[in-house]
Amino acid sequence: MKPLFHKVPVKLESSFSIRHDIKPNFGTIWHYHPELELHYVVKGEGVRFIGDNISNFSEGEIVLLGENLPHTWRCKEEYYQSDSELNVEAIVIHFLPDCLGDYLLKLPEAYLIPKLYEKAKRGMVMTGAVKAKLIELMYAATTATDLDKIILLLKILKTLAETDEYTAIVSSQSAFYQSNDMDTQRLNKVCAYTLTNYKKDITLEEISSISNLSVTSFCRYFKLLTNKTYYDFLIEIRISHACRALVENKVPTEVICFDCGFNNVSNFYRHFKKVTGVTPLEYKRKYLHRVN
C-alpha cells in the first residue's frame, strides 16, 4: 500500500517528541515520516502493518521503526465500536536521526548509533530482558525536562544500539513513496473492509467495488502498490488472527481454521506453514515454551 506522509508535531522548544497516549484506538491511517519511532504498547491488541509485514500486536510490545518505514496499528474491531468502553495506551517517541546534532553521529564513541539507524530501517521488535530497561527509561522520559530529557534519549539509544535482543520485522528495505489522498483513502478502505470481513469469502468483485475499480484495474493497482496479490494479503490477515487464537489456546485448531475464514483444514495448514514457516502445532508449542 502507498503510505500517507505524516507530519509529526514537535514543540518548538523540543528536539524530539514523546507522548503518553490513552485513547479509544490507534486509528487506521497507513503512514510514514522521516522520524524514527519507538512505540511501546502499554495496552491494546490487534494487527499491525509495518512495511511488507502483517503481524499481531498486544500489550507489552516495543517496536523501533526506521525513518520513512510505513506503518499502522489496527486495533481489533471492538475498539472502533461507538459504544465501546475499551481504550489503548502507548508511549511513543519520535526523533529525527540528527535531532541531537549531526556532529554526534560522527563521534567515534557513537559509532553504534548509525548502525542502529540502519537496522531500524527494517523495523525491530524488542525481545528479552532489554524490554524492561526500555520501559523504565521511556516512562521516565515522559516527565523529564531540559538536559534530563536529552540524557534519557541517549540512554534509550545506547540500550537499543547495544542489544541483540530483537527480531527484524520487514523482509526487505523496499522504497516507499508519498501517495496522494485518493490512493491512501482507497487502500485504507480496502484494509478496513478486509479486517472486518476476513472471516467470510471476499470475492474480487466485492473488494473491487469497495475501491470503485474494475476487477482487472483493482488487481493491477493492488499488486503495484503492495507487491502482493489481494488474496495473498487476505490470507496473511487470516493467518495473523489464527496465530492469536492459537496462543490463546481456547479452542481446537480445526475450529480456528474455520473461524479465520478458511474453508478446509488442509488448505489452512498449507497456508499457515507458507506464511509462518511452521505448522500451527509447532507455532503453539514455540509460543508456550517462550512464555513458560
Side-chain angles (χ1 to χ4, degrees), residues 47-64:
V47 179
R48 56 170 162 77
F49 301 79
I50 298 175
D52 61 4
N53 179 268
I54 301 172
S55 297
N56 291 304
F57 75 86
S58 57
E59 63 182 55
E61 180 178 86
I62 301 179
V63 168
L64 177 65

Side-chain angles (χ1 to χ4, degrees), residues 198-226:
Y198 69 91
K199 293 183 179 182
K200 70 172 193 172
D201 288 331
I202 302 176
T203 65
L204 285 175
E205 288 77 13
E206 182 179 357
I207 197 65
S208 298
S209 68
I210 295 293
S211 311
N212 294 317
L213 293 170
S214 68
V215 171
T216 302
S217 297
F218 171 77
C219 291
R220 187 185 305 116
Y221 177 79
F222 196 88
K223 182 69 181 287
L224 177 66
L225 298 186
T226 67

Side-chain angles (χ1 to χ4, degrees), residues 240-253:
S240 71
H241 285 277
C243 288
R244 180 179 301 281
L246 283 167
V247 301
E248 288 175 350
N249 203 23
K250 293 179 180 178
V251 295
T253 302

Side-chain angles (χ1 to χ4, degrees), residues 83-98:
D83 58 348
S84 174
E85 296 182 357
L86 296 170
N87 59 53
V88 297
E89 182 178 355
I91 298 177
V92 185
I93 300 177
H94 289 108
F95 58 97
L96 289 166
D98 59 353

Side-chain angles (χ1 to χ4, degrees), residues 15 52 73 90 116 137 166 178 182 187 191 211 237 259 289:
S15 54
D52 61 4
W73 274 257
L116 170 66
L137 292 170
Y166 74 91
Q178 185 172 350
M182 184 179 292
L187 283 166
C191 177
S211 311
I237 295 290
D259 282 349
H289 174 73

Side-chain angles (χ1 to χ4, degrees), residues 16-153:
F16 65 97
S17 163
I18 180 164
R19 307 192 319 264
H20 187 173
D21 292 337
I22 300 176
K23 51 190 181 181
N25 55 68
F26 290 130
T28 60
I29 300 298
W30 171 251
H31 66 282
Y32 71 97
H33 40 70
E35 295 84 357
L36 287 88
E37 177 175 326
L38 185 63
H39 193 286
Y40 167 42
V41 179
V42 182
K43 186 165 64 172
E45 57 181 328
V47 179
R48 56 170 162 77
F49 301 79
I50 298 175
D52 61 4
N53 179 268
I54 301 172
S55 297
N56 291 304
F57 75 86
S58 57
E59 63 182 55
E61 180 178 86
I62 301 179
V63 168
L64 177 65
L65 304 178
E67 52 195 296
N68 297 320
L69 180 59
H71 55 278
T72 188
W73 274 257
R74 171 83 189 196
C75 295
K76 295 170 71 173
E77 281 306 308
E78 45 263 46
Y79 285 84
Y80 298 94
Q81 305 304 315
S82 58
D83 58 348
S84 174
E85 296 182 357
L86 296 170
N87 59 53
V88 297
E89 182 178 355
I91 298 177
V92 185
I93 300 177
H94 289 108
F95 58 97
L96 289 166
D98 59 353
C99 71
L100 300 181
D102 187 55
Y103 184 71
L104 172 67
L105 301 178
K106 297 177 181 177
L107 293 174
E109 295 87 350
Y111 72 97
L112 285 177
I113 295 180
K115 291 185 175 182
L116 170 66
Y117 292 170
E118 194 63 30
K119 290 187 292 186
K121 289 180 180 178
R122 293 183 60 193
M124 302 164 65
V125 180
M126 312 315 297
T127 61
V130 73
K131 289 173 61 177
K133 187 172 183 180
L134 286 169
I135 290 169
E136 181 182 352
L137 292 170
M138 292 178 76
Y139 268 112
T142 61
T143 57
T145 58
D146 303 326
L147 283 175
D148 286 334
K149 188 177 176 183
I150 299 297
I151 289 168
L152 282 165
L153 178 61

